[in-house]
Amino acid sequence: MPQEADTKFRILFAIYPGMTHLDFTGPHQFLSRLPGSDTIVASPAGGNVEADGLTFGNTVRIADVRSCDLICVPGGTNATKVALDPEFMREIRRLAQGAKYVTSVCTGSLILGAAGLLKGRRAACHWAYAELLPIFGAIHDPARVARDGNIITGGGVTAGIDFGLTVLAEIGGETLAQTVQLGLEYAPAPPFDSGRPDLAPPHVRARYETLRQAWLPERRADAERAAALILATAPA
Amino acid sequence: MPQEADTKFRILFAIYPGMTHLDFTGPHQFLSRLPGSDTIVASPAGGNVEADGLTFGNTVRIADVRSCDLICVPGGTNATKVALDPEFMREIRRLAQGAKYVTSVCTGSLILGAAGLLKGRRAACHWAYAELLPIFGAIHDPARVARDGNIITGGGVTAGIDFGLTVLAEIGGETLAQTVQLGLEYAPAPPFDSGRPDLAPPHVRARYETLRQAWLPERRADAERAAALILATAPA
């Protein structure tokens, strides 16, 4: 019954090798509970996608996806490398332009940026990478879930769960979101309070910052190259 | 260098078709960041495992896993059906008996119970299924992460993240756990406060309870059959 299929709300996750898998699986677990929706998992080449030691199988080749109502791009430590793949960026731009909602989790917003979708728009990002957003003309929003028009973006990794609930409420209503929250027992109780730089103990923050300063210059250089590619390829 | 491999801390996730995937991916994302560890994903038949519309590929057949230091069993709405698979229960019991830590998330504790591992032990479970734990001789602990000796169990689905952090601290120390928490930006900010029955709005609780009463009798009957199988097969 193709008619029925056409009325379903199509949620597309655009994933890639090297992503941080929880950026994807967190919101997927919540959003796939939206009644009357279809969830599609696509990747640049289709087939198997490796991430943090897991293999996600049976993904669709993104070029074969006709359209979607919501696109969600997860992040990864390699997001600025992925941003340098002009074909993947073109597919993300194409699908985003036809979507009702354009979304990301974590450094996925850098990929939305590299697809030319965040010029002058506010977006969330993983705190350690957020300073790269302006390279794509975006404005960093420090919120855990940020909204600017039809663009809804989550912060780092686990923010994808708060993002998923927010999007569920937007599309399916508050009662649905709260029922899914109850079903997934989302009443977080972290044993430590170290999830943001302003919360983390100084020695933890310092340890992380040392690592970050080592990898940041290369990520910045990649982001700058990716931004130059947008200028070269994006429609005016 | 087999000698080096032998010194690694072996973390085994024992997954199965129909699991709730976030029960697995949440703690996997945290635990796979333990330095000096190997993470193995095993399933009853090996190969592809389908869960909530995702395919987890390249899993190892659990009977082919020699040993592990930590076993973690995720939950699923079909946990009491999985508990009726005597071969899978036997493998879980074998691997748990050689492990330093025996763990679960969500209804995974019902599977540990069906493997005969929770007699007289306190364990957490998804709130909607927790009343089935005593069928396996276990005592329900309403904590989000419960510990009884070498048994560490998490509550429903998203509790797997609090569980993962707790286990990381136990094995790798508090500074490591806090650094991973910062890296995965785990400073939760749920847009609603509906993640436990005592928190959920009455109409949300009522909606869920109606569904729960419909499926609970079959799950209870399965659990009772699984418990009878332990009596028939477990070592005295």
Side-chain angles (χ1 to χ4, degrees):
Chain A
M1 294 194 291
Q3 219 174 3
E4 191 190 353
D6 281 345
T7 65
K8 284 202 172 173
F9 189 89
R10 287 160 63 87
I11 299 170
L12 173 70
F13 286 92
I15 73 171
Y16 50 87
M19 68 173 171
T20 300
H21 67 64
L22 189 54
D23 288 17
F24 156 52
T25 56
H28 181 280
Q29 186 74 75
F30 281 76
L31 292 182
S32 62
R33 298 202 172 185
L34 179 70
S37 69
D38 264 337
T39 303
I40 308 152
V41 182
S43 65
N48 281 358
V49 171
E50 308 282 337
D52 295 316
L54 295 188
T55 302
F56 294 91
N58 294 331
T59 73
V60 177
R61 201 170 69 102
I62 193 165
D64 294 337
V65 179
R66 192 171 37 87
S67 66
C68 65
D69 295 298
L70 181 148
I71 182 169
C72 181
V73 182
T77 58
N78 65 338
T80 53
K81 286 269 181 267
V82 171
L84 287 164
D85 175 348
E87 211 168 315
F88 192 44
M89 294 308 100
R90 200 156 39 231
E91 296 300 336
I92 285 175
R93 189 160 60 225
R94 173 181 67 81
L95 288 159
Q97 280 167 347
K100 190 168 173 195
Y101 298 101
V102 176
T103 77
S104 65
V105 174
C106 194
T107 54
S109 57
L110 299 176
I111 294 177
L112 293 184
L117 298 163
L118 292 185
K119 284 171 196 164
R121 311 296 285 268
R122 282 184 300 102
C125 189
H126 189 293
W127 68 266
Y129 296 77
E131 64 191 82
L132 304 182
L133 270 176
I135 295 172
F136 301 107
I139 301 145
H140 175 225
D141 187 325
R144 194 150 168 91
V145 182
R147 179 161 191 171
D148 185 343
N150 73 329
I151 297 173
I152 307 177
T153 49
V157 197
T158 54
I161 290 176
D162 297 320
F163 159 87
L165 260 182
T166 302
V167 172
L168 259 190
E170 161 76 20
I171 302 173
E174 204 162 292
T175 295
L176 170 72
Q178 290 172 319
T179 305
V180 172
Q181 182 176 15
L182 181 56
L184 300 175
E185 208 168 320
Y186 186 45
F192 309 106
D193 198 11
S194 183
R196 283 202 316 263
D198 57 312
L199 299 171
H203 70 287
V204 170
R205 169 67 206 261
R207 177 185 164 134
Y208 199 103
E209 191 57 26
T210 304
L211 297 168
R212 190 173 91 95
Q213 289 305 330
W215 54 249
L216 197 59
E218 188 187 333
R219 305 283 202 284
R220 182 184 298 280
D222 286 339
E224 282 163 358
R225 285 170 57 213
L229 284 176
I230 312 178
L231 291 175
T233 65
Chain B
M1 293 192 293
Q3 220 175 359
E4 193 191 353
D6 281 344
T7 64
K8 286 204 171 171
F9 189 89
R10 289 161 61 87
I11 298 170
L12 173 70
F13 287 92
I15 73 172
Y16 50 86
M19 69 173 168
T20 299
H21 68 65
L22 189 54
D23 288 17
F24 157 52
T25 56
H28 181 280
Q29 185 75 73
F30 281 76
L31 293 182
S32 62
R33 299 203 170 184
L34 179 70
S37 69
D38 264 338
T39 303
I40 308 152
V41 182
S43 65
N48 282 356
V49 171
E50 308 281 337
D52 295 317
L54 295 187
T55 303
F56 294 91
N58 294 331
T59 73
V60 177
R61 202 169 68 102
I62 194 165
D64 294 336
V65 179
R66 193 171 38 88
S67 66
C68 64
D69 295 298
L70 181 149
I71 183 170
C72 181
V73 182
T77 57
N78 65 338
T80 53
K81 286 270 181 264
V82 171
L84 288 164
D85 174 348
E87 211 168 313
F88 192 44
M89 293 311 98
R90 200 154 41 230
E91 296 300 335
I92 285 176
R93 188 160 60 224
R94 173 180 67 81
L95 288 159
Q97 280 167 347
K100 190 169 172 195
Y101 298 101
V102 176
T103 78
S104 64
V105 174
C106 194
T107 53
S109 58
L110 299 176
I111 294 176
L112 293 184
L117 298 163
L118 293 184
K119 282 170 196 163
R121 310 297 285 269
R122 280 184 303 102
C125 189
H126 189 293
W127 67 266
Y129 296 76
E131 64 191 81
L132 304 182
L133 271 175
I135 295 173
F136 301 106
I139 302 146
H140 175 226
D141 188 326
R144 194 148 168 91
V145 182
R147 180 163 189 167
D148 184 344
N150 73 330
I151 296 174
I152 307 178
T153 49
V157 197
T158 54
I161 290 176
D162 298 319
F163 158 87
L165 261 181
T166 303
V167 172
L168 260 189
E170 161 76 19
I171 302 172
E174 205 162 294
T175 294
L176 170 73
Q178 290 172 319
T179 305
V180 172
Q181 182 176 16
L182 181 56
L184 300 176
E185 209 170 318
Y186 187 44
F192 309 105
D193 197 12
S194 181
R196 283 202 318 261
D198 56 314
L199 300 171
H203 70 288
V204 169
R205 168 67 204 261
R207 178 185 162 136
Y208 199 104
E209 191 58 26
T210 304
L211 297 169
R212 190 173 91 96
Q213 289 306 328
W215 53 248
L216 196 59
E218 188 187 335
R219 306 283 202 284
R220 180 183 299 280
D222 286 338
E224 282 164 356
R225 285 170 56 212
L229 284 176
I230 313 176
L231 292 175
T233 64

